[in-house]
Amino acid sequence: MKTKWALFVVHFLIAFVLIGCDKIAVLDPKGPQAQTQANVIWLSIGIMSVIVVVVCAILVFVLVKYRDSKLPKDYEPPYIEGNRVVETIIVIVPILIVAFFSVVTIITNNKVEATPQAYKGQDPLIVYASSSNWKWHFSYPEENIETVNYLYIPTNRPLEFKLYSFGPITSFWIPQLGGQKYAMSDMVTTLHLAADEAGEMMGRNANFSGVGFAENSFYVEAMSQDDFDDWVTEVKETAEPLTEEKFQQLLKPGHLGQLTFTGTHLPFSPAPEGEHAGHNHGKDGPKADTNGNQEHDVHEHDTSTS
Amino acid sequence: MGYFSRFAVPHPSPAIYASMIAIAVTVFLIIAGITYFKKWIYLWDGWITTVDHKKIGIMYLISALLMLFRGGVDALMMRAQLAVPDNKLLDSQHYNEVFSTHGVIMVLFMAMPYIMGLMNFVVPLQIGARDVAFPRLNAVSFWLFFMGAMLFNLSFVIGGSPDAGWSSYFPLAGNEFSPHVGTNYYMISIQIAGIGTLMTGINFLTTILKMRAPGMTLMRMPMFTWASLTTCIIIIFAFPVLTIALLMGTMDRLFATKFFTITDGGMDMLWANLFWVWGHPEVYILILPAFGLFSEIIPTFSRRNIYGYTSMVASMVLISFYSFLVWTHHFFTMGQTAYVNSIFSITTMIIAIPTGIKIFNWLFTMWRGRIRFTVPMLYCLAFIPLFTIGGVTGVMLAMSAADYQYHNTMFLVAHFHNVIIPGVVFAVLGASTYYWPKMFGFVLNEKIGKLAFWFLVIGFCLAFFPMYITGLDGQARRMYTYSEDTGFGPWNMVATIGAVCMAISFVLIVYMIYYSIRNAKKEAVSDPWDARNLEWATHTPVPEYNFAIIPQVNSREAFWDAKYKGHPLFKGDYEKIHMPNNSGVPFLMSLFFFALGFGLVFSMWYLAICGLIGVFICMAHRSFEQDHGRYISVEEIKETEAKYGGTHK
């Protein structure tokens, strides 16, 4: 009877693992980074379930065997200080598990913080994704177009998102492409993603940013490079240019639908990187981005040799 | 009216007006009731001016239960709002205020005082002391916490509640994005309560190090005392960081400094770092005493000594040390390099090792024991598997590559509730049932207690396990609503049902207390559970001086040895006992703190300055006061002891 809930917990875990197969966004990856992360998640769920099962099994065994009502009346529990062997085992086994996970985590960290292995060497598509209350602005500097609240991306090509915010800290997240990263007002963070297959996806701000936070999401569509190029051409032919005045209007707090512009806001409202970074004091030299890549241009103030 | 318009709630609703009326009526009824029953003097002499650690402990517990109710109502409102897609019960601003206050209240004004209350009541008894090292300071600590909590709760009806989350990240919490006074309340009420906590840390560290009974070496201390000791060390190192962070935040909000702003060189990431440099150790400030409580209850009801005492102590010391090396895992996604994230991933996972050792040691304590399924023990037994699940999901979150997917989602919400509820809440509920007879002289009703336990455990599983799934499916935390096509609906409905079960459990607990007060046998047994440590060697109710004769300790379980191995616990004769005098100054000083805080919240400088002067006058008064305490005479001790049937030898 008392073991019921223990069984319940175990059952629940099993059900949890089984349900998680196809529909759940994070476990249904559409890109290499999300795939890496889903692998880590499955691996850790697997090993961790074993630990939970072992603990539950010992607990059930102890409760069944040493419950007061089942023991002879004169049974008096012994005084046991501890046992070297047992205590060594319960130290060594967790250390081994943690050591294994440490190796996994170091490898996967470096994977998700770099251009995906499969697409190395390709020219990445750079998108400046900035948030304002409560919208997302996507600037494609090479294509010289900008969208609001929707994102079109080519498949089979590395994507480099440069993230920053025009307000509170937000977090750029497309679960099926990969994990999130913060967008902040005084520096640019870089998120490396890629899409393996065409399709529609949900993207959102995952970090609470005030009243309009719940609706602060955006639509993502991955398409072939050809379709993507067609779309860019079409935008250039049909969309209005983005003026500074228009952009200031867009920044005002509120929600907007999906908008498209030619040109980006970057020329008149540059991203907080390099000399525009919030903490650029002129002498520290170029800031390393999240990769540690020193890819920014050395700017004019950089005269010190340190 | 211009002057008073600042007190208006910026975003009122019927619920807030109803609460205003409810609060007014309750306050009136309390005052009328106390006056009618002529209890003012009893209240002032017996409780408000007391410096007795046992009474202060009980006041902490009562406040904590009240705050559990407030935080629980917040939780129910959130769950009601999220139960179905596109719900319109609360609007966004209200939801934001509700989850912000839920977090602050549950962590700082419910869990903390609950732990502090148990520490206050148990630790001096457990080490064979007559009070804490600085009894007056202890009263100051309690009243500061109490006034901080009251000030924070006032925000609901005067001026508006904080709405930037319990972590209150800047720039969202700055004036630009949170212009009403809510976040002022957050900064200042936590500051006031935090000063009290810091004092408690110093007080109990001194008490434990200096006031143990003769023979009780460090390695003979009971587990809960060890847990309290390590907790105090964490408090002393972590809380000053919070003090400074809150001070900087207050300066930003009230005096337009630029520490955390997004313009003029401010650094919003600095707040996140400072907050979590305190915030992560804070989690261990909660969980270590909870571990200590489990380590008291499990041996008693297994009729065995704790297994692996040395490794239990070592693991707590290691946890307290490592708790300071992991704060970055709260923002793996803030753009550090893979190198930095890897380091903090590994330090975080390392904490799982000592925690795992403790889990196994508890299991081995029950092994070859004689297990009785009492209510406190049931909480321990449910804790082990549920906390293990919470712990292993913690290891999953620690792997930073995968954390990019868990961060800011319901998965994370599920995880931390999965450690805090089975860890801290089960511990304090189990421990209050366990220590109830020592506090009040009767045992709580077992049947209702068990029913409440089952509602809580099943409610917990229903409420939080679905969140793991919706989190992985993309439900971010702190979203006040979601659309139907996300598919989160059914899971959220299950979670809401779970929350209702937990609410029923709370009602049952209150009913259990009420029922037991009316019906339980008031036998005043001093040792109802056949327990093992010194707190049970006292009379029930515990006399003011705790021990007529200071006990002699020669092992880890002196009381057990005295009962079953003939160890002489109380040697020698009665001597007069030195006790501290009561004082109203701590209460008065906290009132001044309250005035100071309220003045600061609304930028009413005259009130703030008056409050501050009052605080300094109280301190000056203490510095020049000649109070050497008083003595309880041998005759009086003899009389009291005779009433309880003599000192056991």
Side-chain angles (χ1 to χ4, degrees), chain B residues 407-454:
Chain B
H407 188 73
N408 269 330
T409 69
M410 292 307 260
F411 189 95
L412 170 81
V413 175
H415 156 72
F416 69 72
H417 284 93
N418 205 160
V419 281
I420 291 183
I421 292 178
V424 181
V425 178
F426 284 15
V428 294
L429 289 179
S432 17
T433 319
Y434 182 62
Y435 285 114
W436 190 274
K438 186 61 43 196
M439 290 174 186
F440 301 106
F442 59 92
V443 181
L444 285 170
N445 186 285
E446 186 99 324
K447 261 195 187 146
I448 311 174
K450 283 185 179 168
L451 198 61
F453 163 79
W454 284 110

Side-chain angles (χ1 to χ4, degrees), chain B residues 322-361:
Chain B
Y322 276 118
S323 70
F324 286 94
L325 301 179
V326 301
W327 81 94
T328 302
H329 73 213
H330 293 273
F331 40 84
F332 277 144
T333 55
M334 206 153 74
Q336 301 87 286
T337 58
Y339 179 62
V340 172
N341 278 356
S342 299
I343 289 173
F344 282 94
S345 285
I346 293 168
T347 55
T348 306
M349 286 191 277
I350 285 176
I351 290 201
I353 300 169
T355 315
I357 294 171
K358 297 186 78 75
I359 296 270
F360 283 107
N361 278 342

Side-chain angles (χ1 to χ4, degrees), chain A residues 36-37 40 103-113, chain B residues 399-402:
Chain A
T36 304
Q37 286 157 334
V40 173
V103 174
V104 173
T105 210
I106 291 170
I107 294 169
T108 53
N109 276 346
N110 284 294
K111 264 191 189 172
V112 297
E113 283 294 345
Chain B
M399 303 174 77
S400 60

Side-chain angles (χ1 to χ4, degrees), chain B residues 90-307:
Chain B
L90 298 176
D91 63 22
S92 176
Q93 178 62 24
H94 275 143
Y95 188 82
N96 299 346
E97 291 177 11
V98 167
F99 74 69
S100 304
T101 50
H102 169 77
V104 173
I105 287 183
M106 285 304 203
V107 173
L108 287 154
F109 299 127
M110 188 284 284
M112 286 292 282
Y114 219 136
I115 295 285
M116 295 295 162
L118 289 163
M119 260 167 71
N120 258 288
F121 190 88
V122 177
V123 166
L125 296 180
Q126 213 166 39
I127 61 174
R130 285 190 173 130
D131 207 323
V132 293
F134 313 113
R136 181 85 71 96
L137 193 67
N138 201 21
V140 175
S141 289
F142 169 73
W143 287 111
L144 284 181
F145 145 73
F146 185 81
M147 292 303 168
M150 289 303 111
L151 186 63
F152 188 82
N153 278 277
L154 210 57
S155 68
F156 188 58
V157 288
I158 302 179
S161 301
D163 59 355
W166 91 281
S167 49
S168 207
Y169 270 23
F170 282 83
L172 184 62
N175 284 331
E176 190 184 348
F177 298 104
S178 186
H180 73 282
V181 296
T183 305
N184 294 354
Y185 271 115
Y186 172 98
M187 296 286 159
I188 291 158
S189 60
I190 296 178
Q191 184 72 285
I192 292 174
I195 296 169
T197 307
L198 187 54
M199 288 177 190
T200 304
I202 294 167
N203 205 343
F204 276 81
L205 181 74
T206 319
T207 307
I208 295 169
L209 289 181
K210 301 296 288 182
M211 296 178 67
R212 298 190 307 277
M216 184 181 279
T217 56
L218 282 176
M219 288 310 275
R220 281 180 188 163
M221 291 197 311
M223 290 315 294
F224 182 62
T225 303
W226 256 113
S228 302
L229 178 71
T230 48
T231 303
C232 289
I233 293 170
I234 304 181
I235 288 177
I236 291 168
F237 282 100
F239 266 76
V241 181
L242 178 72
T243 306
I244 294 304
L246 290 173
L247 186 65
M248 290 161 85
T250 311
M251 298 285 282
D252 264 18
R253 288 192 57 92
L254 297 183
F255 306 116
T257 53
K258 303 282 179 186
F259 292 113
F260 308 126
T261 56
I262 53 182
T263 52
D264 305 321
M267 172 78 99
D268 46 2
M269 289 177 281
L270 184 59
W271 169 266
N273 274 281
L274 290 175
F275 182 84
W276 289 113
V277 165
W278 161 79
H280 200 85
E282 164 67 18
V283 195
Y284 291 94
I285 292 171
L286 299 178
I287 202 69
L288 283 177
F291 285 170
L293 293 167
F294 289 123
S295 305
E296 294 298 323
I297 298 168
I298 292 175
T300 297
F301 296 109
S302 305
R303 216 183 156 78
R304 261 209 50 199
N305 62 314
I306 190 94
Y307 185 91

